[in-house]
Amino acid sequence: MRQKNLVISSPKTPFSNLADDEKIFNGGDQSWSEQNQEPALLSEITEEDLEAIREREETIQKIESDMLDVNQIIKDLASMVYEQGDTIDSIEANIETASSNVESANEQLAKASQHQRRARRMKCCVISIGLVVLLVFVVIVVVSVKK
């Protein structure tokens, strides 16, 4: 609305200078009909200009609205990234803990494997000693039975 008042109250229109130049070239002679047609043409152009200004204003408002929407989206995205940063830190800490646990488990498995080998050796030794003792006992029994 303010723009309409500015355009209407403006003493000079975009073509008023052109009209002044025509008066100079024509020597100021204009018929009454030409003088009446000129304001009608100027008001028609002014209305077209006013409509173009309105369209531009609507376009600018739409762009402003779109920019505000984009700004809100960027803020939401930044908030999500910040929130996910904590999650990523938590995941990173869990990965480090898991890695440490895997290393510890590998060491324990290596110790268990060594312990199992030692236990097998011990079993083999005990069985071998048991067989030797049994063999000696059988030999003694066989020799004593033969006598």
Side-chain angles (χ1 to χ4, degrees), residues 19-31:
D20 292 341
D21 290 343
E22 285 181 7
K23 287 179 187 175
I24 293 170
F25 286 120
N26 292 333
D29 285 331
Q30 287 185 336
S31 68

Side-chain angles (χ1 to χ4, degrees), residues 38-64:
E38 187 177 287
L41 179 64
L42 290 177
S43 67
E44 189 176 305
I45 292 172
T46 303
E47 291 297 321
E48 289 174 2
D49 289 343
L50 184 60
E51 184 62 31
I53 290 171
R54 285 183 187 144
E55 289 176 9
R56 286 181 187 159
E57 183 179 359
E58 289 173 5
T59 304
I60 289 171
Q61 288 175 350
K62 175 144 178 45
I63 290 171
E64 180 183 9

